[in-house]
């Protein structure tokens, strides 16, 4: 008979298990023959001062003072058989985005599934994850330090900035691999054990994952797909196209390898890998329309293979000024055939390149940190367009490169394992002449946020 252990894990480990730095092992290994059921959570609220190019636009003006907040619930369980095999299930439920409301006429929306996966394995032989979860590119991302301030920076559309900064001013990034474009899809993930190497005494580990389609749970072919069409999950080619299809992938795999080493007071890691996926193929006409209605160039629907590489390194030094303080520094670079948010780029558009340098310093209950990223992608650039009168194919008048950079500076006062206060400043700039989403080819934003993070 197994013991039923009801637990509430309120440590940072519980949060990391569902963040972009999600750990490969269970949150809390349990004794053989037992099961540990948990219902963890995360709540964050902040008071913000926001400025951007689009706060005052078209005769309307935003109140610069606003709030951000998010709620997450993490139900699941960990178990270990008498034979030593660990298994469990993790679920990440979040409050949905809702349109701006007015007092009692609005609500916070319903909860939805962001992650949901099961795992099975042992430390000696590795683990298998099955479900809607992080893949190799996310799990072993190294050198992207986010453990300061609100903990998100510009990592995804679930970041605090995404709630309150006008969308055209907010940079959409691929330098952060911990974003929904990668972890909200169903996949199989193989996580190797940590293998020791005899020369320096370090540890080698690797992760490989495979994702057939850009589908989550219950998004198969049968329910809403009576025949192959653009609304079907996992469509591989189509004569028509939508913005949704332009962000979908087929047969995506990614793999990462990491080497970790402890030498004296230094704990260091270096990791490298790639992600590759096949875009939806557009098989329709490259120019459509008529002389009376004008012509539309569909060249932007011809997409390259999604193919991105990353290399990252970070090191933590313990005892810099006191016996208990620690400083962590990291850097990460990513490059390849992609747009922001890991959408495949149009054929003929430039490849993407981004880097980030970051770090934090922890002493007692205080954490201070900063990061800076610089990124170049094709943005809205479409290499060829159709002439509105003649249908002749011409080059785009948009600049070839969308340049984005951003700074994050933040600090925390950790009251306890379940409560932290934060102060954070964000600044970002976007530049691409001819991009209609910007103002004269430019947009900037800045944000100061003061708030608290509760975990249980």
């Amino acid at each position: 008979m197994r013991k039923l252990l009801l637990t509430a894990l309120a440590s940072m480990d519980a949060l990391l298990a569902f963040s972009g730095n999600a750990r490969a092992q269970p949150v809390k290994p349990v004794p053989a023959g037992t099961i540990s059921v948990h219902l963890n959570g995360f709540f964050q609220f902040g008071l913000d001062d926001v400025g951007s190019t689009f706060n005052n636009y078209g005769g309307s003006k935003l109140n610069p003072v606003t709030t951000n907040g998010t709620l997450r619930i993490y139900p699941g369980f960990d178990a270990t058989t008498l034979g030593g095999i660990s298994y469990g299930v993790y679920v990440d439920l979040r409050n949905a985005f809702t349109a701006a409301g007015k007092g009692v006429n609005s609500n916070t929306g319903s909860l939805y599934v962001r992650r949901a996966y099961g795992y099975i394995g042992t430390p000696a032989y590795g683990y298998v994850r099955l479900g809607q979860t992080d893949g190799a590119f996310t799990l072993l991302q190294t050198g992207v330090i986010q453990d300061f301030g609100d903990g998100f920076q510009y990592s995804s559309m679930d970041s605090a900035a995404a709630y309150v900064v006008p969308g055209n001013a907010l940079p959409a990034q691929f330098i952060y691999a911990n974003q929904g474009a990668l972890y909200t899809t169903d996949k199989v993930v193989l996580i190797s054990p940590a293998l020791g190497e005899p020369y320096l005494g370090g540890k080698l580990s690797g992760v490989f994952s495979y994702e057939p389609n850009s589908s989550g749970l219950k998004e198969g072919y049968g329910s809403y797909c009576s025949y192959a069409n653009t609304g079907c999950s996992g469509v591989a080619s189509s004569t028509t196209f939508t913005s949704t299809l332009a962000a979908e992938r087929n047969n995506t795999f990614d793999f990462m390898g990491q080497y970790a080493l402890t030498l004296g007071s230094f704990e260091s890691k270096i990791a490298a890998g790639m992600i590759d996926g096949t875009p939806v193929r557009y098989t329709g006409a490259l120019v459509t329309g008529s002389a009376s209605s004008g012509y539309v160039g569909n060249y932007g629907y011809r997409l390259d293979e999604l193919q991105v590489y990353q290399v990252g390194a970070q090191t933590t030094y313990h005892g810099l000024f006191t016996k208990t303080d620690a400083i962590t520094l990291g850097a990460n670079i990513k490059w390849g055939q992609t747009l922001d948010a890991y959408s495949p780029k149009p054929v003929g558009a430039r490849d993407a390149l981004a880097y980030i340098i970051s770090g934090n310093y922890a002493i007692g209950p205080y954490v201070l940190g900063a990061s800076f990223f610089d990124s170049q992608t094709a943005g809205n650039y479409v290499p060829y367009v159709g002439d509105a009168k003649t249908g002749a194919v011409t080059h785009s008048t948009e600049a070839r490169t969308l340049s984005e950079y951003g700074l994050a500076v933040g600090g925390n006062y950790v009251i306890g394992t379940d409560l932290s206060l934060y102060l954070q400043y964000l600044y970002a700039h976007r530049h691409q002449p001819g991009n209609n989403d910007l103002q004269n080819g430019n947009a900037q934003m800045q944000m100061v946020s003061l708030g608290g993070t509760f975990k249980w």
Side-chain angles (χ1 to χ4, degrees):
M1 178 71 68
R2 293 182 175 180
K3 298 178 182 178
L4 181 63
L5 305 176
L6 296 177
T7 61
L9 306 179
S11 66
M12 181 64 77
D13 287 347
L15 175 59
L16 290 177
F18 303 95
S19 71
N21 297 317
R23 294 190 171 185
Q25 288 76 33
V27 175
K28 184 179 180 181
V30 296
T34 63
I35 181 171
S36 173
V37 180
H38 49 82
L39 183 62
N40 305 118
F42 172 94
F43 175 73
Q44 184 166 276
F45 182 86
L47 182 64
D48 313 308
D49 188 346
V50 180
S52 82
T53 302
F54 298 99
N55 274 36
N56 192 345
Y57 190 80
S60 298
K61 186 176 181 179
L62 294 176
N63 181 357
V65 179
T66 186
T67 62
N68 76 78
T70 186
L71 171 68
R72 303 179 183 183
I73 304 295
Y74 303 133
F77 75 90
D78 298 299
T80 304
T81 67
L82 292 174
I85 298 175
S86 297
Y87 63 95
V89 168
Y90 288 89
V91 180
D92 177 356
L93 302 175
R94 304 187 186 183
N95 62 308
F97 290 92
T98 56
K102 300 174 179 63
V104 296
N105 294 324
S106 65
N107 57 59
T108 58
S110 59
L111 293 174
Y112 70 102
V113 175
R114 192 70 169 172
R115 290 180 176 93
Y117 68 89
Y119 76 87
I120 184 171
T122 68
Y125 294 98
Y127 295 88
V128 179
R129 284 187 179 184
L130 309 165
Q132 192 169 308
T133 182
D134 306 88
F137 220 63
T138 302
L139 286 173
L140 290 189
Q141 175 178 257
T142 304
V144 181
I145 312 300
Q146 295 174 251
D147 297 331
F148 63 85
D150 71 353
F152 298 107
Q153 300 170 34
Y154 304 94
S155 60
S156 72
M157 291 311 294
D158 274 349
S159 65
Y163 309 145
V164 298
V165 175
N168 286 4
L170 182 70
Q173 275 304 303
F174 77 98
I175 190 60
Y176 299 92
N178 48 308
Q179 57 177 277
L182 296 183
Y183 66 70
T184 56
T185 52
D186 281 345
K187 56 181 70 70
V188 178
V189 185
L190 306 178
I191 302 170
S192 79
L195 303 176
E197 59 87 13
Y199 298 102
L200 296 176
K203 297 287 187 180
L204 290 165
S205 58
V207 179
F208 174 86
S209 54
Y210 173 65
E211 166 198 309
N213 301 308
S214 292
S215 303
L217 297 174
K218 300 186 74 172
E219 292 182 19
Y221 303 141
S223 298
Y224 303 101
C225 184
S226 56
Y227 57 88
N229 63 78
T230 56
C232 291
S233 171
V235 64
S237 64
S238 177
T239 58
T240 59
F241 223 73
T242 66
S243 59
T244 300
L245 291 183
E248 291 187 1
R249 308 179 296 268
N250 292 275
N251 296 321
T252 301
F253 68 88
D254 57 334
F255 61 88
M256 291 284 294
Q258 185 181 81
Y259 178 69
L261 176 66
T262 299
L263 284 177
S265 297
F266 287 94
E267 294 181 3
S268 304
K269 296 185 292 185
I270 185 170
M274 70 167 296
I275 184 170
D276 185 281
T278 302
V280 177
R281 300 298 185 188
Y282 174 65
T283 58
L286 294 181
V287 178
T288 56
S290 63
S292 60
S293 63
Y295 291 81
V296 178
N298 298 326
Y299 287 85
Y301 298 155
R302 297 192 305 168
L303 303 176
D304 271 325
E305 193 95 351
L306 174 69
Q307 195 171 87
V308 186
Y309 302 86
Q310 74 162 310
V311 176
Q314 68 183 63
T315 186
T316 299
Y317 182 78
H318 298 274
L320 181 63
F321 299 114
T322 71
K323 292 182 179 181
T324 58
D325 70 351
I327 184 170
T328 300
L329 300 175
N332 184 284
I333 183 171
K334 296 182 177 72
W335 71 96
Q337 297 176 171
T338 187
L339 301 176
D340 284 337
Y342 291 89
S343 294
K345 74 175 184 67
V347 172
R350 63 156 292 161
D351 285 358
L353 172 66
Y355 69 88
I356 186 171
I357 53 176
S358 53
N360 66 14
Y361 174 70
I363 180 171
Y366 302 100
V367 179
L368 300 174
S371 70
F372 174 82
F373 76 83
D374 189 13
S375 173
Q376 289 81 44
T377 67
N380 284 352
Y381 176 74
V382 177
Y384 304 99
V385 296
D387 185 271
K389 294 182 179 180
T390 66
V393 176
T394 60
H395 287 277
S396 173
T397 57
E398 239 174 9
R400 183 176 174 82
T401 299
L402 169 64
S403 296
E404 300 172 294
Y405 64 86
L407 172 72
V409 179
N412 303 83
Y413 176 64
V414 182
I415 297 175
T417 57
D418 52 1
L419 175 61
S420 172
L421 304 181
Y422 77 85
L423 175 64
Q424 180 168 269
Y425 171 76
L426 299 176
Y427 174 83
H429 185 266
R430 311 180 74 203
H431 175 73
Q432 185 176 28
N435 186 330
N436 292 328
D437 290 335
L438 308 179
Q439 189 170 358
N440 298 321
N442 290 281
Q444 66 85 32
M445 58 139 288
Q446 58 182 343
M447 170 183 169
V448 177
S449 183
L450 174 65
T453 305
F454 301 78
K455 302 186 296 291
W456 65 92

Coordinates of all heavy atoms in Angstrom, one line a residue, residues 159-203:
S159 N 4.8 37.8 -20.5 CA 5.6 38.6 -19.6 C 4.8 39.8 -19.1 O 3.8 40.2 -19.8 CB 6.9 39.1 -20.4 OG 6.5 40.0 -21.4
A160 N 5.2 40.4 -18.0 CA 4.5 41.5 -17.5 C 4.4 42.7 -18.5 O 3.3 43.3 -18.6 CB 5.1 42.0 -16.2
A161 N 5.4 42.9 -19.3 CA 5.4 44.0 -20.2 C 4.4 43.8 -21.3 O 3.8 44.7 -21.8 CB 6.8 44.1 -20.9
A162 N 4.1 42.5 -21.6 CA 3.1 42.2 -22.7 C 1.7 42.6 -22.3 O 0.9 42.8 -23.2 CB 3.2 40.7 -23.0
Y163 N 1.4 42.7 -21.0 CA 0.1 43.1 -20.5 C -0.2 44.6 -20.7 O -1.3 45.0 -20.9 CB -0.1 42.7 -19.1 CG 0.2 41.4 -18.6 CD1 0.8 41.1 -17.4 CD2 0.0 40.3 -19.4 CE1 1.1 39.9 -16.9 CE2 0.3 39.0 -19.0 CZ 0.9 38.8 -17.8 OH 1.2 37.5 -17.3
V164 N 0.9 45.4 -20.6 CA 0.7 46.8 -20.5 C 1.3 47.7 -21.5 O 1.0 48.9 -21.7 CB 1.1 47.3 -19.1 CG1 0.3 46.6 -18.0 CG2 2.6 47.0 -18.9
V165 N 2.3 47.2 -22.3 CA 2.9 47.9 -23.4 C 2.2 47.8 -24.7 O 1.9 46.6 -25.1 CB 4.4 47.5 -23.5 CG1 5.1 48.3 -24.7 CG2 5.2 47.8 -22.2
P166 N 1.9 48.9 -25.4 CA 1.2 48.7 -26.7 C 2.0 47.8 -27.6 O 3.3 47.8 -27.7 CB 1.2 50.2 -27.3 CG 1.2 51.0 -26.1 CD 2.0 50.3 -25.0
G167 N 1.3 46.9 -28.3 CA 2.0 45.8 -29.0 C 3.0 46.2 -30.1 O 4.0 45.5 -30.3
N168 N 2.7 47.3 -30.8 CA 3.6 47.7 -31.8 C 4.9 48.3 -31.3 O 5.9 48.4 -32.0 CB 3.0 48.8 -32.7 CG 1.9 48.3 -33.6 OD1 1.6 47.1 -33.6 ND2 1.3 49.1 -34.5
A169 N 5.0 48.6 -30.0 CA 6.2 49.1 -29.4 C 7.0 48.0 -28.7 O 8.1 48.2 -28.3 CB 5.9 50.2 -28.4
L170 N 6.3 46.9 -28.5 CA 7.0 45.8 -27.7 C 7.7 44.8 -28.6 O 7.2 44.3 -29.6 CB 5.9 45.0 -27.0 CG 6.4 43.8 -26.1 CD1 7.1 44.4 -24.8 CD2 5.2 43.0 -25.6
P171 N 9.0 44.6 -28.3 CA 9.8 43.7 -29.2 C 9.3 42.3 -29.0 O 9.1 41.8 -27.9 CB 11.2 43.9 -28.7 CG 11.1 44.3 -27.3 CD 9.9 45.2 -27.3
A172 N 9.1 41.5 -30.1 CA 8.8 40.1 -30.1 C 10.1 39.4 -30.4 O 10.8 39.7 -31.3 CB 7.8 39.8 -31.1
Q173 N 10.5 38.5 -29.5 CA 11.9 38.0 -29.5 C 12.0 36.5 -29.8 O 11.1 35.7 -29.7 CB 12.5 38.2 -28.1 CG 13.1 39.6 -28.0 CD 14.1 39.9 -29.1 OE1 15.1 39.2 -29.3 NE2 13.9 40.9 -29.9
F174 N 13.2 36.1 -30.4 CA 13.5 34.7 -30.4 C 14.8 34.4 -29.6 O 15.2 33.3 -29.5 CB 13.7 34.2 -31.9 CG 15.0 34.6 -32.5 CD1 16.1 33.8 -32.6 CD2 15.2 35.9 -33.1 CE1 17.3 34.1 -33.2 CE2 16.4 36.3 -33.7 CZ 17.4 35.4 -33.7
I175 N 15.4 35.5 -29.0 CA 16.6 35.2 -28.2 C 16.2 34.5 -26.9 O 17.0 33.8 -26.3 CB 17.3 36.6 -27.8 CG1 18.7 36.3 -27.2 CG2 16.4 37.5 -27.0 CD1 19.6 35.5 -28.0
Y176 N 14.9 34.6 -26.5 CA 14.4 33.9 -25.3 C 13.8 32.6 -25.9 O 12.7 32.7 -26.5 CB 13.4 34.7 -24.5 CG 14.0 35.9 -23.9 CD1 13.9 37.1 -24.6 CD2 14.5 35.9 -22.7 CE1 14.3 38.3 -24.1 CE2 15.0 37.1 -22.1 CZ 14.9 38.3 -22.8 OH 15.4 39.5 -22.2
A177 N 14.3 31.4 -25.5 CA 13.7 30.2 -26.0 C 12.6 29.7 -25.1 O 11.8 28.8 -25.5 CB 14.8 29.1 -26.0
N178 N 12.5 30.3 -23.9 CA 11.4 29.9 -23.0 C 10.1 30.8 -23.3 O 9.7 31.7 -22.6 CB 11.8 30.1 -21.5 CG 12.4 31.5 -21.3 OD1 13.4 31.9 -21.9 ND2 11.9 32.2 -20.2
Q179 N 9.5 30.4 -24.5 CA 8.3 31.1 -24.9 C 7.3 30.1 -25.5 O 7.7 29.1 -25.9 CB 8.6 32.2 -25.9 CG 9.4 31.8 -27.2 CD 9.6 32.9 -28.1 OE1 8.7 33.2 -28.9 NE2 10.7 33.5 -28.1
G180 N 6.0 30.6 -25.5 CA 5.0 29.7 -25.8 C 5.0 29.1 -27.2 O 4.5 28.0 -27.5
A181 N 5.7 29.8 -28.2 CA 5.8 29.3 -29.5 C 6.5 28.0 -29.6 O 6.3 27.2 -30.5 CB 6.6 30.3 -30.4
L182 N 7.3 27.7 -28.5 CA 8.1 26.4 -28.5 C 7.5 25.4 -27.5 O 7.4 24.2 -27.8 CB 9.5 26.7 -28.1 CG 10.3 27.5 -29.1 CD1 11.8 27.6 -28.7 CD2 10.3 26.9 -30.5
Y183 N 7.0 25.9 -26.3 CA 6.6 24.9 -25.3 C 5.2 24.5 -25.2 O 4.8 23.7 -24.5 CB 7.1 25.3 -23.9 CG 6.5 26.5 -23.3 CD1 5.2 26.6 -22.9 CD2 7.3 27.7 -23.1 CE1 4.7 27.7 -22.3 CE2 6.8 28.8 -22.5 CZ 5.5 28.8 -22.1 OH 4.9 30.0 -21.6
T184 N 4.3 25.2 -26.0 CA 2.9 24.9 -26.0 C 2.4 23.8 -27.0 O 1.2 23.6 -27.2 CB 2.0 26.2 -26.2 OG1 2.4 26.8 -27.4 CG2 2.2 27.2 -25.1
T185 N 3.4 23.2 -27.6 CA 3.1 22.1 -28.6 C 3.3 20.7 -28.0 O 4.2 20.6 -27.2 CB 3.9 22.3 -29.9 OG1 5.3 22.4 -29.5 CG2 3.5 23.6 -30.6
D186 N 2.6 19.7 -28.5 CA 2.8 18.4 -28.1 C 4.1 17.8 -28.7 O 4.4 18.0 -29.9 CB 1.6 17.5 -28.6 CG 0.4 17.6 -27.7 OD1 0.5 18.1 -26.6 OD2 -0.7 17.2 -28.2
K187 N 4.8 17.1 -27.8 CA 6.1 16.5 -28.3 C 6.5 15.4 -27.4 O 6.0 15.2 -26.3 CB 7.2 17.6 -28.3 CG 7.4 18.3 -27.0 CD 8.5 19.4 -27.1 CE 8.1 20.6 -27.9 NZ 7.1 21.4 -27.3
V188 N 7.5 14.7 -27.8 CA 8.2 13.6 -27.1 C 9.6 14.1 -26.8 O 10.3 14.5 -27.7 CB 8.2 12.3 -27.8 CG1 9.0 11.2 -27.0 CG2 6.8 11.8 -28.1
V189 N 10.0 14.1 -25.5 CA 11.3 14.7 -25.1 C 12.1 13.6 -24.4 O 11.6 13.0 -23.5 CB 11.1 15.9 -24.1 CG1 12.4 16.5 -23.8 CG2 10.2 16.9 -24.8
L190 N 13.3 13.4 -24.9 CA 14.2 12.4 -24.3 C 15.3 13.2 -23.5 O 16.0 14.0 -24.1 CB 14.8 11.5 -25.3 CG 13.9 10.8 -26.3 CD1 14.7 10.0 -27.3 CD2 12.9 9.9 -25.5
I191 N 15.4 12.9 -22.3 CA 16.4 13.6 -21.4 C 17.4 12.6 -20.9 O 17.1 11.7 -20.2 CB 15.7 14.3 -20.2 CG1 14.6 15.3 -20.7 CG2 16.6 15.0 -19.3 CD1 13.7 15.8 -19.7
S192 N 18.6 12.9 -21.3 CA 19.7 11.9 -20.9 C 20.1 12.0 -19.4 O 19.8 13.1 -18.8 CB 20.9 12.1 -21.8 OG 21.7 13.2 -21.3
P193 N 20.7 11.0 -18.9 CA 21.3 11.2 -17.5 C 22.5 12.0 -17.6 O 23.1 12.3 -18.7 CB 21.6 9.7 -17.1 CG 21.9 9.0 -18.4 CD 20.9 9.6 -19.4
A194 N 22.9 12.6 -16.5 CA 24.2 13.4 -16.4 C 25.3 12.4 -16.3 O 25.4 11.7 -15.3 CB 24.1 14.3 -15.2
L195 N 26.2 12.4 -17.3 CA 27.3 11.5 -17.4 C 28.6 12.2 -17.0 O 28.9 13.3 -17.5 CB 27.5 10.9 -18.8 CG 26.2 10.2 -19.3 CD1 26.5 9.7 -20.8 CD2 25.8 9.0 -18.5
G196 N 29.3 11.6 -16.1 CA 30.6 12.2 -15.6 C 31.7 12.0 -16.7 O 31.8 10.9 -17.3
E197 N 32.6 13.0 -16.8 CA 33.8 12.8 -17.7 C 35.0 12.8 -16.7 O 35.0 13.6 -15.7 CB 33.8 13.9 -18.7 CG 33.9 15.3 -18.2 CD 35.3 15.8 -17.9 OE1 36.2 15.1 -18.3 OE2 35.4 16.9 -17.3
P198 N 36.0 12.0 -17.0 CA 37.0 11.7 -16.0 C 38.1 12.7 -15.9 O 38.9 12.7 -15.0 CB 37.6 10.4 -16.6 CG 37.4 10.4 -18.0 CD 36.1 11.1 -18.2
Y199 N 38.3 13.6 -16.9 CA 39.4 14.5 -16.9 C 39.3 15.7 -15.9 O 40.2 16.0 -15.1 CB 39.7 15.0 -18.3 CG 40.0 13.9 -19.3 CD1 39.0 13.4 -20.2 CD2 41.2 13.3 -19.3 CE1 39.2 12.4 -21.0 CE2 41.5 12.2 -20.2 CZ 40.5 11.8 -21.0 OH 40.8 10.7 -21.9
L200 N 38.2 16.4 -16.0 CA 38.0 17.6 -15.1 C 36.9 17.3 -14.1 O 36.7 18.1 -13.2 CB 37.6 18.8 -16.0 CG 38.6 19.3 -16.9 CD1 38.1 20.5 -17.8 CD2 39.9 19.8 -16.2
G201 N 36.2 16.2 -14.2 CA 35.2 15.9 -13.3 C 33.8 16.6 -13.6 O 33.0 16.6 -12.7
G202 N 33.6 17.0 -14.8 CA 32.4 17.7 -15.1 C 31.3 16.7 -15.5 O 31.5 15.4 -15.4
K203 N 30.1 17.2 -15.9 CA 29.0 16.4 -16.2 C 28.5 16.7 -17.6 O 28.3 17.9 -18.0 CB 27.8 16.6 -15.2 CG 28.1 16.2 -13.8 CD 28.2 14.7 -13.6 CE 28.3 14.3 -12.2 NZ 28.4 12.8 -12.0

